[in-house]
Amino acid sequence: MQKPILEVNHLKKYFDVRGGVFGKKVGEVKAVDDVSFTVHEGEILGIVGESGCGKSTTGKTILRLIEPTEGEVKFEGENIAALSAEAMRKLRRDMQIIFQDPYASLNPRHTVEKIISEPLLIHGMGKKERKSRVKELLEVVGLSDYHASRYPHQFSGGQRQRIGIARALANNPKLIICDEPVSALDVSVQSQILNLMEGLRDQFNLTYVFIAHDLSVVKHISDRVGVMYLGRLVELTDKEKLYDDPKHPYTKALLSAVPVPDPDVEKERILLEGDVPSPSNPPTGCAFHTRCPVAMDICKTVRPTFEQAEVNHFVACHLYN
Amino acid sequence: MPNEVLKIEDLHTHFFTDQGEIPAVDGVSLTVHKGEVVGVVGESGCGKSVTSLSIMQLIPSPPGKIVGGSIHFKGEDLLSVSKKRIKEIRGNEISMIFQEPMTSLDPLFTIGNQLREAIRIHQKVTKKQANERSIEMLKLVGIPRAEAVMNEYPHQLSGGMRQRVMIAIAMSCDPEILIADEPTTALDVTIQAQILDLMKKLNQEKETAILMITHDLGVVAEICDRVIVMYAGQVVEEGTTREILKDPKHPYTKGLIRSIPKLHEKDQQLYSIPGTVPKPKMGNVGCRFNDRCEYAHDRCFAETPELFSIINNRYSRCFLLDDSEGKVVTDAEANIRS
């Protein structure tokens, strides 16, 4: 059995909704509502879901870029939800993040050298060392050292994402949270970045939590995949199992909705009715029961627990519990 | 042919900027027949959106200008008719839906207001009739509680619902052709499936032709009859959906298809086309794809390839398909197959 590097237990993040003249709390948005999973060393865990399902909030809460409301996040056995700000900063050397938008996540007034060496500076590296490290990093991600003196606007989207990756790699992290790293890129560039990320994982023995909405991309890169719906994990298993034998009705519908660029693939499409309900007022019981084609009476009242239906196949659905 | 709805021939749309003249659309030809769904695919900057805006004469001018070619709509030359006539056609006989449903609807007016406006501009109907027609359209596109939605504002609706409203507005005058510019890109997959289903249904029931602009080959496989692949302002390949997806001829199309992660296939190392899409510039000699192409040879840098006809309505802009060329072709072809 591999060693777990990250354990997330009953993680919750509620955002207050304030309103009225005095800004009184009038409700809360349950962005992440009791999510638990484990990530093993060297694996890529994919998290998929539609917009607003809480996948990005989960990623940011793991790094405590957003403070969790409840629950624990254990990194190498240590509960980081309870750490002080200073201890957390030291730990961030081992935990990094790559953001979705390569246009917004790089400071337009800084050169590439400054962007990449900033994390090195924070963790106390000398000037000379920093310079050579930046050079090294640029080569690792497929750029050249003369790029170091340029500004972000001089690069294309794919190149910018490479800079973002170089910055994340700067301090030799163990875990990288990738928050939709290829969604803003064109197909031909997307495959370059995916291949780069896979190569880096092998080269530096990294662990990724790969958050994306594109099921084909997640399938390609991940070892295990978790599916989120309205702040909850509904299914988590090996990628082959998930794609060959999905258990949760939502996973089935989601997979059947993906358009496949092959006219010979025959599919039975499960069309879901309506939209995702608002997370500020989620349905009672199972959050999916309002759109579920096989909903039963119990689904309306009792929230299904996230349990192991088969070996390493977790699902939150009354059909299997 | 009598059933040609839209015929574009050798269209050139250029932008005149501080950096000089940019040929965003550089000699594009395409035809859409009645009731047909034609896809235009390509990556960002390939000129697919500029092509669609050119048809509707919505290119901001300056800096943009259609400098050459012709656009015929049912035999009528759109580039030479009066502004008044264009206004009659736009939104009535040719409709368009855009990628971002939030920015295409006016946030200050109710849904009903915007639907009625579109109908009353183009048809001689009373307010009451326009109202009835609006409700009917909302029901047609599958909006529940249509009467109530008429009095709501765009911000009260979800992304999928807004795109349905956009489609309702676009379809309200029974257009001959609907130009859809990335209509599902901003939507989640389950909602995308609903919208594609709706568009297919409208295409079949009303025989509306659709020009589908998209970057997603999955969407193409789902809905299109024929596909046009664009690269750097030019058409590089044309064929039926099956031909393009199953037997691509142009190295760019091949590379594009191989670089998509497939849901239904076993994993393997993903192919990637090296380099990035070039910026269009004037006076380009040679194939636009030459610096990224693994089959590029001397001729690709010295001459600009034309669209070679392979069989009926099947074209590819690549010297590998030029029959007049001798041995190089066979060598390279063998390479591709191996």
Side-chain angles (χ1 to χ4, degrees):
Chain A
M1 194 62 197
Q2 295 150 303
K3 210 164 79 180
I5 185 165
L6 180 77
E7 282 175 73
V8 175
N9 294 321
H10 306 291
L11 187 70
K12 288 181 189 170
K13 176 65 202 175
Y14 296 168
F15 291 102
D16 292 348
V17 178
R18 293 182 185 277
V21 185
F22 301 105
K24 258 189 4 199
K25 186 173 159 181
V26 292
E28 49 191 11
V29 172
K30 296 179 174 174
V32 180
D33 195 7
D34 201 354
V35 164
S36 306
F37 59 87
T38 308
V39 188
H40 302 293
E41 212 172 81
E43 87 166 340
I44 301 179
L45 176 78
I47 296 182
V48 279
E50 298 181 281
S51 39
C53 72
K55 54 192 191 300
S56 287
T57 309
T58 305
K60 286 178 182 156
T61 318
I62 291 171
L63 287 179
R64 278 180 68 193
L65 296 175
I66 298 173
E67 290 294 331
T69 308
E70 235 184 276
E72 25 163 59
V73 178
K74 276 187 177 169
F75 180 71
E76 296 188 307
E78 192 178 7
N79 184 9
I80 64 169
L83 285 181
S84 69
E86 183 53 35
M88 194 59 219
R89 179 155 48 237
K90 292 222 170 79
L91 201 72
R92 287 223 177 90
R93 190 199 286 247
D94 293 332
M95 304 168 78
Q96 286 291 327
I97 184 163
I98 301 169
F99 294 99
Q100 167 173 4
D101 190 343
Y103 295 85
S105 57
L106 303 176
N107 189 334
R109 286 165 179 256
H110 287 182
T111 60
V112 168
E113 171 152 17
K114 184 151 189 203
I115 289 168
I116 300 178
S117 60
E118 190 113 12
L120 299 169
L121 181 71
I122 287 168
H123 294 287
M125 192 185 262
K127 199 174 176 187
K128 231 177 165 175
E129 278 173 288
R130 282 207 305 269
K131 220 176 176 117
S132 66
R133 176 78 180 136
V134 168
K135 222 165 136 182
E136 193 185 312
L137 284 164
L138 282 174
E139 266 161 40
V140 164
V141 298
L143 295 170
S144 308
D145 54 356
Y146 65 83
H147 286 131
S149 55
R150 295 196 180 169
Y151 288 88
H153 74 265
Q154 293 170 294
F155 294 90
S156 67
Q159 286 174 316
R160 277 181 230 209
Q161 202 54 289
R162 287 176 196 265
I163 297 168
I165 293 172
R167 173 174 63 184
L169 287 175
N171 279 314
N172 282 322
K174 293 173 184 155
L175 173 76
I176 300 182
I177 311 277
C178 314
D179 188 2
E180 303 257 16
V182 295
S183 333
L185 306 175
D186 273 319
V187 182
S188 71
V189 180
Q190 168 179 304
S191 62
Q192 290 172 6
I193 299 293
L194 287 175
N195 283 341
L196 172 69
M197 292 182 67
E198 277 182 306
L200 292 172
R201 193 257 305 238
D202 300 339
Q203 197 179 343
F204 298 108
N205 192 26
L206 298 168
T207 307
Y208 294 144
V209 175
F210 196 98
I211 299 163
H213 69 275
D214 187 325
L215 285 121
S216 325
V217 167
V218 167
K219 186 203 172 199
H220 176 78
I221 198 161
S222 310
D223 300 312
R224 285 189 306 144
V225 179
V227 181
M228 281 186 79
Y229 184 77
L230 223 59
R232 304 165 187 190
L233 259 180
V234 295
E235 189 158 1
L236 174 69
T237 185
D238 297 342
K239 71 168 164 195
E240 275 86 18
K241 268 198 201 158
L242 186 85
Y243 286 87
D244 294 342
D245 178 28
K247 297 233 181 280
H248 199 283
Y250 176 63
T251 315
K252 288 181 187 170
L254 196 63
L255 284 171
S256 81
V258 180
V260 178
D262 185 340
D264 287 340
V265 173
E266 297 258 334
K267 308 186 295 184
E268 208 179 311
R269 162 143 312 158
I270 307 165
L271 264 191
L272 287 181
E273 298 280 316
D275 291 312
V276 182
S278 156
S280 61
N281 186 19
T284 53
C286 173
F288 187 57
H289 85 252
T290 51
R291 302 171 81 197
C292 184
V294 289
M296 304 173 289
D297 283 342
I298 184 175
C299 305
K300 292 177 187 140
T301 48
V302 184
R303 178 173 170 176
T305 49
F306 193 53
E307 275 174 32
Q308 195 154 263
E310 279 170 25
V311 183
N312 287 328
H313 197 150
F314 293 86
V315 61
C317 181
H318 287 301
L319 287 175
Y320 301 97
N321 296 344
Chain B
M1 271 200 288
N3 62 350
E4 275 172 3
V5 177
L6 183 75
K7 190 178 177 71
I8 303 178
E9 279 174 304
D10 198 28
L11 180 74
H12 289 263
T13 305
H14 292 191
F15 286 86
F16 298 87
T17 66
D18 294 344
Q19 282 89 44
E21 194 175 341
I22 296 166
V25 174
D26 199 4
V28 166
S29 303
L30 63 91
T31 311
V32 184
H33 301 100
K34 191 168 173 57
E36 192 180 34
V37 185
V38 176
V40 178
V41 277
E43 298 180 281
S44 31
C46 74
K48 53 190 195 299
S49 286
V50 178
T51 305
S52 65
L53 291 173
S54 300
I55 300 167
M56 295 293 268
Q57 317 249 313
L58 291 172
I59 296 290
S61 174
K65 196 166 187 282
I66 298 173
V67 295
S70 68
I71 301 172
H72 286 271
F73 171 67
K74 293 206 290 183
E76 192 174 1
D77 184 359
L78 290 186
L79 297 182
S80 61
V81 299
S82 67
K83 274 208 170 126
K84 188 164 163 267
R85 176 74 186 124
I86 281 290
K87 276 192 181 164
E88 276 171 30
I89 294 172
R90 196 192 284 153
N92 188 20
E93 290 162 73
I94 308 179
S95 287
M96 189 156 183
I97 45 179
F98 298 93
Q99 172 172 352
E100 193 26 85
M102 189 65 226
T103 47
S104 351
L105 289 170
D106 193 323
L108 297 179
F109 291 91
T110 61
I111 301 299
N113 231 318
Q114 302 188 45
L115 259 162
R116 280 194 299 266
E117 186 191 7
I119 295 169
R120 293 203 71 201
I121 283 176
H122 295 295
Q123 293 174 1
K124 283 206 170 73
V125 290
T126 62
K127 272 190 182 162
K128 206 173 155 221
Q129 282 169 320
N131 209 41
E132 279 162 12
R133 174 100 180 118
S134 306
I135 294 172
E136 190 190 314
M137 285 314 296
L138 288 180
K139 283 184 178 153
L140 180 74
V141 297
I143 289 186
R145 36 177 214 103
E147 283 87 356
V149 168
M150 288 286 284
N151 296 319
E152 285 179 8
Y153 289 88
H155 74 266
Q156 291 170 285
L157 303 177
S158 66
M161 283 297 156
R162 279 181 215 144
Q163 200 58 291
R164 280 171 197 267
V165 170
M166 279 308 295
I167 294 175
I169 294 175
M171 296 298 295
S172 61
C173 296
D174 274 327
E176 290 282 330
I177 179 164
L178 178 69
I179 300 172
D181 189 354
E182 305 262 11
T184 56
T185 308
L187 307 174
D188 282 316
V189 274
T190 55
I191 310 297
Q192 167 172 288
Q194 293 172 1
I195 297 291
L196 289 178
D197 230 55
L198 169 66
M199 291 180 72
K200 246 192 276 187
K201 193 182 101 194
L202 291 174
N203 167 252
Q204 278 156 9
E205 283 175 10
K206 305 215 162 210
E207 282 216 316
T208 312
I210 299 178
L211 186 66
M212 185 84 177
I213 318 269
T214 180
H215 69 278
D216 190 334
L217 288 165
V219 170
V220 165
E222 209 62 53
I223 191 167
C224 296
D225 303 316
R226 262 185 328 118
V227 187
I228 285 150
V229 183
M230 284 185 71
Y231 184 77
Q234 293 181 322
V235 175
V236 294
E237 187 161 359
E238 183 176 344
T240 64
T241 304
R242 171 169 291 276
E243 284 165 347
I244 296 283
L245 294 174
K246 282 293 183 184
D247 182 28
K249 294 287 186 201
H250 196 281
Y252 173 65
T253 321
K254 284 176 202 252
L256 200 62
I257 290 169
R258 281 171 67 197
S259 48
I260 307 170
K262 313 269 185 329
L263 207 54
H264 288 260
E265 282 169 26
K266 275 266 166 282
D267 286 332
Q268 37 192 272
Q269 172 81 14
L270 211 53
Y271 176 81
S272 64
I273 307 174
T276 47
V277 183
K279 290 220 170 72
K281 56 174 188 284
M282 294 302 286
N284 233 336
V285 178
C287 172
R288 301 275 158 92
F289 191 58
N290 57 19
D291 57 335
R292 303 176 77 188
C293 180
E294 51 185 309
Y295 311 112
H297 51 286
D298 293 348
R299 195 178 172 197
C300 306
F301 292 91
E303 286 175 57
T304 308
E306 55 185 292
L307 264 181
F308 296 104
S309 173
I310 306 165
I311 39 168
N312 287 344
N313 294 322
R314 180 100 173 84
Y315 301 96
S316 173
R317 194 183 289 278
C318 182
F319 286 126
L320 295 178
L321 295 149
D322 181 6
D323 290 333
S324 65
E325 200 173 330
K327 200 168 165 296
V328 186
V329 179
T330 41
D331 282 1
E333 281 272 276
N335 247 330
I336 294 175
R337 295 215 174 98
S338 63

